[in-house]
Amino acid sequence: MEFWNPNIERLPEEELKQLQERKLRRLVENAFEYSSFYKERFGSAGISPHDIRSLEDLQKLPFTYKTDLRDTYPTGMFSVPQSQIVRFHVSSGTTGVPTVVGYTVNDIDVWSTCLARSLTACRLGRGDVVQVAYGYGLFTGGLGLHYGVEKIGATVLPIGAGSTSRQVSLMKDLGTTAMACTPSYLLHIGEVAESMKVDIASQTKLRVGILGAEPWSLESRKRIEQNLGIRAYDIYGTSEMSGPLFTECSAQNGIHAWADHFLLEIIDDHGRPVKQGKKGELVVTTLSKEALPLIRYRMGDITSLVWEECECGRTHPKIMRVQGRVDDMIVIRGINVFPSQIESVLMQIPEVGDHFQIVVDRVGPLDVMTVKVEVTESALSDRIGALMQLEERIAKQLREVLMVNAKVELVERGTLPRSSGKSQKVIDLREV
Ligand code: DLL
């Protein structure tokens, strides 16, 4: 099946915008009526529901932030009584107070419907076996994908994250056709399969990867696709929006964001809208969520939006590859560096393995960045001189792209930590 719901997925842009406008008006009216948080926030900005008539009026509304969710922990931003909440998800809270997201019956239905459209766009359907290796439980990845897979009538294998050799054996024994996990975890599964003498490309039925929850470069995609013999699709979502929601289609050129349920903006450092296609921070307004509606929520992710009909026939706007979070950016001697830029350089170098780590420290007054890079086994067997040349070559290529010096340290394959979820690429010792 090509579309889950062709009528809505191919609705002309103008009609989608009219629908968004109607839903936005209702959202703001409801927020005033049912949410003490928004009533106060809009009230202190001098806004009443009558001020929001068109999509252009959205600009009048104040932004909301993750800090708002934290300040009102646990449920101060909810718009429905607890009796209507059928599920909670909670962030890990490793960087502060956790954030709690609640869902009504309808919220869960909208979430799984969005995923049903997205998974269909990745050419999955009845007969597929989808191994969900995102974490189940308070993280949204596992359960989110789970309901989407069941909705399209495919078979779900709810293994969750971890037990890597079991991932490989079940993939083989149960005929998994799609893996849903973080890209870094799939690379690790590939390594473990190799150590088990299982060649995923020729000995399993795997043909699709639904990979996201962390930034990954186009170069990593190329490696994953080539090594495993699959099509790797990017999937985006955040717990505040519901969880995993949107994926690429067969064109693999941008993530279709379902505009009947989510209204997206990209803003610059000053909070002003940027031109279509220009990079900035993603801001999300949820048009259908009942329990925890978000209005102009600063997502903190750096990306761009393109709204034009895709070659697949879908008309909804596309989120282009997410470069990382505003707070992932490392500032080295005043120069901004994103881990995804480093990944992109490294993954183009054939001698470089699949894993790396960035360590930032301060020596005296100066920031020093060291990139620890795993090298492939064949590169490691080279002479010392060749390895030193490789180190220099990597440092040179990094300097050309980042405009800042990085010390490169080559390490043996298997040395750096592996993760079954989001990988931690940066260790910033300046913060300790
Ligand atoms: O990571 C939801 C999810 C689960 C998405 C499974 C995709 C697959 P959070 O834990 O709230 O939710 O983290 C959301 O992860 O703001 C981005 O910074 C990052 N992120 C998610 N998907 C991508 C992606 C889930 N495709 C945060 N590319 C977001 C880059 C991503 N970053």
Side-chain angles (χ1 to χ4, degrees):
M1 191 163 49
E2 250 189 287
F3 295 94
W4 179 254
N5 181 343
N7 291 340
I8 191 81
E9 289 169 52
R10 293 194 300 196
L11 201 65
E13 182 179 334
E14 216 27 63
E15 287 179 48
L16 273 172
K17 285 190 168 152
Q18 283 162 13
L19 177 63
Q20 288 190 318
E21 206 158 79
R22 283 199 302 276
K23 289 182 96 167
L24 176 66
R25 281 200 292 265
R26 205 173 60 214
L27 170 75
V28 173
E29 279 159 16
N30 285 346
F32 255 94
E33 197 166 336
Y34 300 111
S35 159
S36 48
F37 170 84
Y38 283 113
K39 194 171 181 168
E40 197 196 308
R41 181 60 59 93
F42 294 162
S44 54
I47 307 257
S48 85
H50 308 289
D51 295 323
I52 310 302
R53 308 314 305 157
S54 71
L55 289 182
E56 284 71 51
D57 293 333
L58 186 63
Q59 308 287 324
K60 297 180 187 163
L61 292 168
F63 292 118
T64 50
Y65 301 84
K66 200 185 259 299
T67 47
D68 290 320
L69 282 169
R70 292 194 171 138
D71 293 345
T72 57
Y73 176 85
T75 57
M77 274 176 77
F78 283 25
S79 286
V80 298
Q82 193 267 317
S83 55
Q84 287 185 42
I85 302 284
V86 296
R87 196 194 297 175
F88 286 129
H89 280 287
V90 185
S91 77
S92 62
T94 39
T95 53
V97 181
T99 48
V100 178
V101 181
Y103 306 77
T104 63
V105 169
N106 190 57
D107 289 339
I108 300 277
D109 187 50
V110 170
W111 184 10
S112 50
T113 300
C114 284
L115 270 173
R117 292 184 201 167
S118 302
L119 295 172
T120 307
C122 299
R123 304 248 165 101
L124 293 172
R126 217 164 267 282
D128 276 298
V129 178
V130 184
Q131 189 162 328
V132 177
Y134 286 111
Y136 274 72
L138 292 179
F139 178 55
T140 54
L143 280 170
L145 258 306
H146 185 105
Y147 277 64
V149 172
E150 284 191 347
K151 191 150 196 140
I152 59 169
T155 309
V156 65
L157 175 55
I159 183 164
S163 314
T164 312
S165 48
R166 201 153 180 235
Q167 300 272 1
V168 177
S169 7
L170 289 180
M171 179 194 298
K172 210 165 152 236
D173 299 345
L174 295 176
T176 297
T177 55
M179 275 301 296
C181 60
T182 58
S184 54
Y185 190 44
L186 188 55
L187 283 166
H188 181 47
I189 292 175
E191 286 175 335
V192 171
E194 206 182 306
S195 71
M196 294 165 70
K197 307 266 175 303
V198 174
D199 177 36
I200 291 185
S202 63
Q203 289 172 268
T204 73
K205 292 190 177 155
L206 196 69
R207 61 178 187 85
V208 167
I210 306 291
L211 311 179
E214 63 182 6
W216 57 305
S217 60
L218 290 174
E219 289 72 23
S220 285
R221 158 148 63 204
K222 213 180 283 166
R223 278 190 178 210
I224 291 173
E225 294 197 329
Q226 275 166 5
N227 293 350
L228 306 182
I230 63 171
R231 290 288 291 272
Y233 297 99
D234 199 3
I235 179 165
Y236 177 82
T238 74
S239 49
E240 300 97 314
M241 290 164 83
S242 279
L245 279 165
F246 313 133
T247 65
E248 293 173 311
C249 60
S250 53
Q252 288 181 301
N253 179 27
I255 295 172
H256 288 283
W258 306 117
D260 48 330
H261 296 305
F262 294 88
L263 176 49
L264 307 184
E265 303 167 76
I266 302 285
I267 56 163
D268 65 16
D269 293 345
H270 307 285
R272 290 180 303 230
V274 301
K275 282 216 181 81
Q276 155 145 234
K278 285 259 173 296
K279 269 195 193 148
E281 182 184 342
L282 180 67
V283 175
V284 173
T285 298
T286 61
L287 297 174
S288 309
K289 279 184 79 191
E290 295 173 339
L292 180 58
L294 297 176
I295 299 180
R296 299 203 86 202
Y297 184 81
R298 300 275 292 253
M299 210 45 86
D301 287 320
I302 308 287
T303 181
S304 57
L305 273 188
V306 171
W307 199 334
E308 60 193 19
E309 192 176 327
C310 180
E311 63 183 65
C312 71
R314 290 173 181 81
T315 49
H316 294 237
K318 289 201 279 195
I319 299 175
M320 305 314 279
R321 201 149 269 261
V322 177
Q323 187 174 7
R325 301 185 53 75
V326 181
D327 39 25
D328 277 349
M329 194 173 71
I330 325 166
V331 183
I332 306 288
R333 303 183 193 182
I335 296 180
N336 302 340
V337 173
F338 278 98
S340 56
Q341 292 174 292
I342 296 182
E343 179 182 307
S344 178
V345 171
L346 295 178
M347 294 303 125
Q348 290 178 59
I349 303 172
E351 295 93 333
V352 167
D354 295 332
H355 300 267
F356 68 96
Q357 191 177 57
I358 305 159
V359 182
V360 188
D361 203 354
R362 186 160 285 145
V363 178
L366 290 181
D367 299 323
V368 177
M369 176 165 68
T370 306
V371 185
K372 294 187 180 177
V373 179
E374 285 192 7
V375 285
T376 58
E377 260 146 39
S378 59
L380 204 63
S381 63
D382 270 349
R383 288 170 298 111
I384 298 279
L387 284 176
M388 281 168 66
Q389 273 174 12
L390 174 62
E391 228 169 52
E392 274 168 32
R393 180 151 51 95
I394 297 174
K396 182 165 173 271
Q397 293 190 18
L398 285 174
R399 191 164 49 244
E400 273 164 19
V401 171
L402 309 176
M403 319 290 262
V404 68
N405 282 330
K407 189 168 160 260
V408 174
E409 199 180 300
L410 301 184
V411 298
E412 223 174 298
R413 190 179 177 202
T415 316
L416 299 174
R418 305 293 196 256
S419 156
S420 60
K422 296 174 192 264
S423 63
Q424 202 201 343
K425 296 256 162 54
V426 183
I427 298 183
D428 198 335
L429 298 169
R430 296 173 301 183
E431 291 162 3
V432 177

